[in-house]
Amino acid sequence: MVTTAHDRKVKISITLLRVLIGWHFLYEGIVKLYNPEWTSFGYLASAQGPFKSIFYSLTAPSIIDWVDNLNVTALLVVGITFLLGIFEKKGALVGICLLGLYYLAHPSFPGIQQINVEGNYWLVNKNLIELGACIVIYNYPTARFFGLGLFRKRKLIKK
């Protein structure tokens, strides 16, 4: 049986997870936004695994600026929605998609030498772990517990 105290602990835990991930995404977005030298070219050009040709095609001069801007925008959206606690389900979906792309560009598959990544943990890496955490945040939103979601109009429709 779930008690009110247990429910509160779960909400606090997921809220903490949301804020920490939000901080990470926001930080990464801001660093990339204010660094005129940053580009996703190196990450995409060194992609590995079964989708490397797709990621390499994104390095074309005609679209790399668009890809860079979209990446920074997605990082900022997730960071802001998670930190402020508003539209967090939408932010979680953006985060899931972005982290899924990061994972597919450099999958932790056995036999693939990892280039341009922070580690290889044989199938599981930090992107996949953070993706899983975004799935938890999507399924258990906490903005109405702690965040600007407290001020959003509550839906009266019950499912």
Side-chain angles (χ1 to χ4, degrees), residues 65-83:
D65 287 338
W66 181 81
V67 171
D68 288 347
N69 289 329
L70 190 59
N71 186 48
V72 169
T73 301
L75 288 166
L76 294 173
V77 164
V78 177
I80 290 167
T81 59
F82 279 17
L83 274 176

Side-chain angles (χ1 to χ4, degrees), residues 117-132:
V117 295
E118 295 175 17
N120 180 358
Y121 309 106
W122 203 55
L123 299 178
V124 177
N125 66 17
K126 69 177 188 69
N127 291 322
L128 197 58
I129 294 167
E130 201 164 35
L131 186 151

Side-chain angles (χ1 to χ4, degrees), residues 55-107:
F55 289 106
Y56 186 75
S57 71
L58 296 175
T59 65
S62 59
I63 61 171
I64 191 68
D65 287 338
W66 181 81
V67 171
D68 288 347
N69 289 329
L70 190 59
N71 186 48
V72 169
T73 301
L75 288 166
L76 294 173
V77 164
V78 177
I80 290 167
T81 59
F82 279 17
L83 274 176
L84 296 180
I86 190 164
F87 305 118
E88 69 187 305
K89 287 186 87 158
K90 290 176 181 155
L93 286 175
V94 172
I96 290 165
C97 292
L98 191 60
L99 289 163
L101 290 171
Y102 291 168
Y103 182 80
L104 292 174
H106 291 273

